[in-house]
Amino acid sequence: MHPTLNVAIRAAREAGKIINRAAMDIGALKIEQKDTNDFVSEVDRGAEQAIIAVLKDAYPTHGFYGEESGKSNSESDSIWIIDPLDGTTNFLHNFPAYCISIALQEKGVLTQAVIYDPVRNDLFTATKGSGAFLNNRRIRVTQRAKLQEALLSTGFPFKDFSYLETYINIFRDMAKKTSGLRRPGSAALDLAYVAAGYSDGFFEINLSPWDIAAGALLVQEAGGIVGDFEGNESWLRTGNIVAANPKVFSQMLQVIAPHLTERIKTPTL
């Protein structure tokens, strides 16, 4: 295992301890509302601080891009992209679908990924060029060839409802052309599950880099494809993402194509 990945795993497990302790008494937490349907607790902040402390101790010159703390030392060639608790709303309702997501981006390329599910003690890891793993077992995306037989996961627009009509149109057509759609409420876990072969694909609009960076590398290292809604590479910048096994990926894009608006097309540089 890559030494940098080992440090990220240690950071994720430290955050997991904080989250699991807090989960024993959710009612005692201080909770703030950052925006519409966007909540943050002292656990999110404490977990992110713990992650950064471990990473900074090992790599003092690296930069950080965290959901709660924002950007620091962003001129560094090595940037850690961190979501200390992806699925905060689930966590605050004791709904057991949330995780810690940590990715390393070096000179613009994602190279390390850790997604840790503290409820199940599931550890998803990937190093660019070395494959993806769940609890040290190699994982691969599914081999399912037909969209009509595929199980997909997704996420509803919950902060910016200006995307809602477009999303509902896509959702409707996906529902008609697949064997089922699921919405667990954690994009990072959704992507990890695609990598592990629990589902065949995932799509969502307007996510943040910390939601998808680690999960996307997992999917790619598990043999899947990640793209924006036209199959291009702007997904980390726009947050519009499709991830799936290669055969299902192309069929998902065909379903999305009639519903493309200027806001979700690949941006021109």
Side-chain angles (χ1 to χ4, degrees):
M1 185 176 290
H2 196 284
T4 305
L5 188 63
N6 271 325
V7 175
I9 290 169
R10 189 164 76 247
R13 290 198 182 278
E14 286 300 313
K17 292 176 186 176
I18 293 170
I19 292 168
N20 280 340
R21 283 197 300 267
M24 299 174 69
D25 190 4
I26 297 291
L29 296 178
K30 295 178 182 177
I31 302 166
E32 299 175 17
Q33 186 166 347
K34 295 189 289 186
D35 202 348
T36 303
N37 295 329
D38 190 8
F39 300 93
V40 61
S41 74
E42 57 191 301
V43 175
D44 299 70
R45 294 192 175 109
E48 184 162 302
Q49 290 169 6
I51 292 167
I52 291 175
V54 171
L55 297 174
K56 188 174 285 187
D57 182 62
Y59 303 105
T61 63
H62 285 193
F64 298 90
Y65 186 17
E67 178 176 12
E68 308 309 331
S69 59
K71 294 181 179 180
S72 63
N73 197 22
S74 56
E75 69 278 4
S76 173
D77 286 339
S78 300
I79 304 291
W80 291 96
I81 304 173
I82 302 163
D83 192 336
L85 181 52
D86 186 57
T88 298
T89 300
N90 284 349
F91 171 76
L92 295 176
H93 288 81
N94 284 312
F95 189 88
Y98 48 85
C99 68
I100 297 134
S101 177
I102 303 172
L104 178 61
Q105 188 179 47
E106 298 181 277
K107 295 183 178 180
V109 177
L110 293 169
T111 60
Q112 308 290 339
V114 173
I115 290 178
Y116 179 50
D117 177 348
V119 177
R120 298 170 183 80
N121 195 29
D122 278 343
L123 181 70
F124 300 85
T125 59
T127 295
K128 186 172 179 59
S130 299
F133 297 82
L134 167 56
N135 300 328
N136 295 317
R137 176 180 59 84
R138 184 72 179 262
I139 53 177
R140 299 287 297 179
V141 296
T142 66
Q143 298 299 308
R144 196 161 282 109
K146 296 181 180 179
L147 183 63
Q148 67 191 48
E149 298 174 355
L151 177 67
L152 305 183
S153 57
T154 186
F156 309 140
F158 66 97
K159 288 188 291 186
D160 185 349
F161 292 110
S162 64
Y163 291 93
L164 188 58
E165 184 175 356
T166 298
Y167 173 81
I168 288 174
N169 289 335
I170 296 171
F171 182 96
R172 181 194 61 236
D173 285 359
M174 286 290 189
K176 292 178 179 178
K177 296 180 181 181
T178 63
S179 69
L181 295 174
R182 302 290 183 267
R183 200 277 186 178
S186 167
L189 267 185
D190 286 338
L191 287 162
Y193 284 4
V194 173
Y198 298 166
S199 64
D200 301 289
F202 168 74
F203 68 97
E204 192 164 348
I205 297 175
N206 196 33
L207 291 169
S208 298
W210 51 76
D211 296 318
I212 55 179
L217 182 58
L218 281 165
V219 171
Q220 290 169 335
E221 288 299 314
I225 300 178
V226 179
D228 62 20
F229 281 7
E230 293 179 272
N232 299 315
E233 297 183 358
S234 75
W235 50 271
L236 191 61
R237 183 157 49 99
T238 65
N240 304 327
I241 187 169
V242 178
N245 80 42
K247 291 181 180 179
V248 168
F249 180 84
S250 59
Q251 294 170 71
M252 290 175 68
L253 294 183
Q254 291 173 16
V255 175
I256 293 170
H259 307 292
L260 288 172
T261 64
E262 290 304 317
R263 292 187 72 194
I264 63 172
K265 286 183 178 179
T266 303
T268 55
L269 296 176

